[in-house]
Amino acid sequence: QVQLVDSGGGLVQAGGSLRLSCVFSGRPFSTYTMGWFRQAPGKEREFVAAVSWSGGGTNYADSVKGRFTISRDNAKNTVYLQMNSLKPEDTAVYYCASRYSRAIIATMSPTTVDYWGQGTQVTVSS
């Protein structure tokens, strides 16, 4: 049974940084594309970033390009999201996600996710 446990959220001032982590278990980690989504109150869940099984391919939402960096450590079964220059509009619950795929290009959408983490709250104050 696949399990994703995400952590690292918190309260930070605008311009600050946070690093989210997600530990994957239950299947071979390197057969999954990994990603992060977020959901703000009253809004739909939206794609943030994804990384291919090897770590060689990444994909970002336009709203976070240049500020967020996704990476993975296949030896630790862990995916990370480094978030810099945070803005109040980044406030949301962030969810780790996996998709069974060994494609070179990292693509994910809410309908193609196989498993979700439980979510971690990120709050950015102005």
Side-chain angles (χ1 to χ4, degrees):
Q1 182 179 353
V2 172
Q3 186 175 17
L4 281 67
V5 179
D6 38 34
S7 62
L11 173 64
V12 63
Q13 289 187 333
S17 299
L18 283 174
R19 189 196 197 199
L20 306 183
S21 300
C22 172
V23 179
F24 177 101
S25 63
R27 291 283 192 278
F29 184 56
S30 61
T31 58
Y32 284 84
T33 293
M34 298 299 296
W36 291 92
F37 290 74
R38 66 187 182 187
Q39 188 166 18
K43 296 188 177 181
E44 294 187 352
R45 192 168 297 189
E46 65 175 3
F47 170 77
V48 175
V51 60
S52 65
W53 69 273
S54 66
T58 57
N59 192 14
Y60 296 92
D62 288 343
S63 59
V64 307
K65 281 180 182 176
R67 300 188 298 122
F68 291 10
T69 302
I70 189 170
S71 61
R72 65 190 293 161
D73 185 338
N74 284 355
K76 296 182 178 180
N77 287 4
T78 303
V79 61
Y80 305 98
L81 185 68
Q82 178 66 44
M83 305 185 295
N84 298 330
S85 302
L86 283 161
K87 304 175 181 180
E89 51 263 44
D90 294 318
T91 295
V93 177
Y94 283 70
Y95 296 90
C96 178
S98 66
R99 176 190 179 193
Y100 181 74
S101 173
R102 299 200 79 185
I104 296 173
I105 299 174
T107 59
M108 298 183 84
S109 70
T111 59
T112 62
V113 168
D114 296 319
Y115 301 98
W116 294 96
Q118 82 280 7
T120 185
Q121 176 71 47
V122 172
T123 304
V124 185
S125 63
S126 57

